[in-house]
Amino acid sequence: MVDSGPGNGAPLIRPTVVVADSEVSKKPRINKFTFACAILASLTSMLLGYDIGVMSGAIIFIKKDMKISDVQIEILVGVLSLYCLIGSIVAGKIADLIGRRYTIALANVIIFAGSLLMGFSTNYTFLMFGRFVTGIGVGFALICVVLYTAEISPASSRGFLTSFPEVCINSGILLGYILNFAFSKLPLSIGWRLMLGVGAIPSALLACSVLAMPESPRWLVMQGRLDEAKTVLEKTLDTKEEAQLRLNDIKEAAGFPQGCTSADIVGKKSHGKGVWRELLLQPTPTVRHVLICTVGIQFFQQSSGVAAVVSYSPRIFEKAGVTSSNGKLLATIAVGFCKTIFVLVATLLLDRIGRRTLLLSSVGGMVGSLLTLAFSLTIIEQSEEKLTWAIVLCMVMVLAFVSFFAIGMGPMTGVYISEIFPLRLRAQGMSMGVAVNRVISAVISMTFISLYKAITIGGAFFLFTGFAAVGWVFFYMCLPETRGKTLEEIEGLFGKPIGWRKTSKKTNV
């Protein structure tokens, strides 16, 4: 098989792949049409970030207005992830049935309805129902945005483009924090309702806008619509020759003969039937390795405690010694700002220094900052005096943790799992990975207050430190580098969870 070179898509013989990767990492060229499609699709992810960010501040006012308990607050915050779990499992199948583009549009419609329901909530039950509807839509978005972006992106800039959803999530979190502060000045019963309901506005606009995007060429091939797929590839790649080369690779990955036409494969369309059997009951060594990596990276991303930091940052700052509501909200805005800035840095590095280097550096920094945060919170909790230096250290370590997370672990999870699944298994395989992510996120979010009451807040962060450290070892041992390779080539890197390095060397010889 041949590979495409950087930028112009000239065919290269396999022995020169290493050189091509080097060139790709220096000067990845971005197709403007692909860039626009990736941005438009990724904006849906901002709604997830907004919901997470705005709820962290809204719960302060919801608790006062509805007079609910800490347990009810934990459920309200964390249950979104469980609802996302339902949405993500269903979304993989729907994305195979109706296509990636229409599933993104459907996600926006559902989020629109959920935001309105939360904004008009009159009691806790009504609010939880709105949360349920929103969670289903967010689950759809989590799968389809990254899936679509990965399938429409060329290999040379795929890391950059598929990190856009994470950029938008963090931008949404920051926007939520800012609107928390802005709407906190309004009357109690109005402020939090506006915080939650305003998410309906962008979702309504996006539901219509995403229909202007082309469908994923890889999904079109799976439906036997080869001419349409070629047209999309010619728009998203630089030359017709590169488009034809990539179409041939996709047809091979889909199991279609190279000389076939759309008419030849009528009745052979793939709607994802039998995928769960191939994933779970009869996986090949390659699929088994992919599943191990997918479940591992999703588990360790959330078990590091990022959901606790993002969703409960006002409480963490309160435990650190920040007492005023304005002070806690402003400190929380700083958290959102750092996450957004550093995820932007990550987009520039993913295709330059590679997935593994960035991921290992990111998780190493997270381990150090979590450990220091745990020590400083423990010192503050055990001290009878107000220790200014420890309070400052806590705040700095929270910002350091979210920065290290955002520069690698945050965007890498979506980028990596969107690359490694074979074409036929990609949508539903990703949905399983996101399901693991949402379950762990829900567990952390719904138990954090109870956890720190049981083992102290310092103890909670020592626990998160341990998970992050084990995660670093797992990533070092099991995850191959995927930078610069087409989605069809990446499959050859997997098969041996521990001995993948030998396989990786063979693909570059």
Side-chain angles (χ1 to χ4, degrees), residues 92-93 95-96 100 143 147 151 218 222 253-254 270-291 294 417-433 491:
K93 181 66 174 177
D96 280 341
R100 298 13 176 169
I143 291 295
L147 177 63
E151 291 189 344
R218 287 168 171 84
M222 291 172 66
S270 172
H271 293 299
K273 293 180 180 178
V275 167
W276 290 110
R277 183 178 67 252
E278 292 182 46
L279 280 172
L280 299 176
L281 300 180
Q282 299 172 339
T284 63
T286 295
V287 172
R288 189 178 297 113
H289 185 186
V290 167
L291 282 175
T294 298
I417 70 165
S418 69
E419 295 178 324
I420 62 179
F421 277 101
L423 176 60
R424 172 173 160 75
L425 310 179
R426 188 169 297 138
Q428 295 183 57
M430 285 180 64
S431 73
M432 187 169 69
E491 186 177 348

Side-chain angles (χ1 to χ4, degrees), residues 261-277:
T261 64
S262 298
D264 297 328
I265 52 180
V266 172
K268 298 181 180 178
K269 299 178 182 180
S270 172
H271 293 299
K273 293 180 180 178
V275 167
W276 290 110
R277 183 178 67 252

Side-chain angles (χ1 to χ4, degrees), residues 77-400:
V77 171
V79 79
L80 181 76
S81 292
L82 290 182
Y83 297 151
C84 285
L85 166 64
I86 300 170
S88 63
I89 291 173
V90 175
K93 181 66 174 177
I94 290 180
D96 280 341
L97 283 171
I98 67 174
R100 298 13 176 169
R101 180 182 55 161
Y102 285 120
T103 310
I104 295 174
L106 180 58
N108 281 287
V109 171
I110 299 172
I111 293 171
F112 170 78
S115 297
L116 286 182
L117 288 169
M118 289 193 294
F120 286 105
S121 297
T122 55
N123 54 51
Y124 185 75
T125 303
F126 197 160
L127 182 59
M128 286 291 288
F129 179 68
R131 197 81 166 140
F132 168 75
V133 176
T134 303
I136 298 297
V138 167
F140 274 56
L142 277 171
I143 291 295
C144 295
V145 169
V146 178
L147 177 63
Y148 175 85
T149 309
E151 291 189 344
I152 206 169
S153 302
S156 60
S157 55
R158 190 177 57 249
F160 175 67
L161 295 175
T162 51
S163 62
F164 283 1
E166 186 69 19
V167 173
C168 288
I169 288 174
N170 284 280
S171 301
I173 290 172
L174 177 58
L175 180 61
Y177 289 159
I178 292 171
L179 290 185
N180 277 155
F181 185 75
F183 291 145
S184 66
K185 311 304 178 185
L186 296 174
L188 182 63
S189 61
I190 296 175
W192 68 263
R193 287 183 169 86
L194 279 177
M195 293 175 192
L196 300 180
V198 78
I201 298 173
S203 59
L205 297 173
L206 286 169
C208 301
S209 301
V210 296
L211 297 178
M213 305 184 309
E215 185 50 84
S216 157
R218 287 168 171 84
W219 183 80
L220 291 171
V221 169
M222 291 172 66
Q223 307 314 305
R225 294 156 63 178
L226 304 184
D227 294 338
E228 293 177 58
K230 186 176 180 182
T231 300
V232 175
L233 287 168
E234 288 175 352
K235 289 182 179 180
T236 57
L237 299 173
D238 292 325
T239 66
K240 291 185 177 182
E241 291 76 12
E242 185 180 5
Q244 184 61 55
L245 176 65
R246 196 60 56 236
L247 179 62
N248 292 340
D249 286 347
I250 298 170
K251 284 163 64 177
E252 182 179 341
F256 297 143
Q258 285 302 330
C260 69
T261 64
S262 298
D264 297 328
I265 52 180
V266 172
K268 298 181 180 178
K269 299 178 182 180
S270 172
H271 293 299
K273 293 180 180 178
V275 167
W276 290 110
R277 183 178 67 252
E278 292 182 46
L279 280 172
L280 299 176
L281 300 180
Q282 299 172 339
T284 63
T286 295
V287 172
R288 189 178 297 113
H289 185 186
V290 167
L291 282 175
I292 290 170
C293 292
T294 298
V295 171
I297 196 170
Q298 297 283 12
F299 173 84
F300 287 114
Q301 187 204 53
Q302 291 299 323
S303 63
S304 66
V306 66
V309 173
V310 173
S311 299
Y312 294 103
S313 48
R315 288 210 176 211
I316 295 170
F317 289 126
E318 182 180 343
K319 287 290 182 181
V322 180
T323 53
S324 73
S325 293
N326 279 350
K328 287 183 282 187
L329 290 176
L330 287 171
T332 299
I333 290 174
V335 170
F337 182 77
C338 285
K339 281 188 98 251
T340 303
I341 291 298
F342 279 91
V343 79
L344 286 170
V345 174
T347 65
L348 302 176
L349 298 178
L350 277 164
D351 289 317
R352 296 176 185 274
I353 68 175
R355 284 43 161 169
R356 275 177 57 82
T357 302
L358 199 57
L359 181 62
L360 293 173
S361 302
S362 167
V363 178
M366 288 165 58
V367 171
S369 53
L370 282 170
L371 186 61
T372 308
L373 177 60
F375 273 118
S376 54
L377 285 169
T378 302
I379 291 170
I380 289 172
E381 204 164 32
Q382 293 180 352
S383 175
E384 297 179 358
E385 302 177 2
K386 186 174 182 178
L387 302 175
T388 304
W389 66 268
I391 294 172
V392 172
L393 184 60
C394 276
M395 297 180 71
V396 170
M397 285 302 105
V398 169
L399 298 179

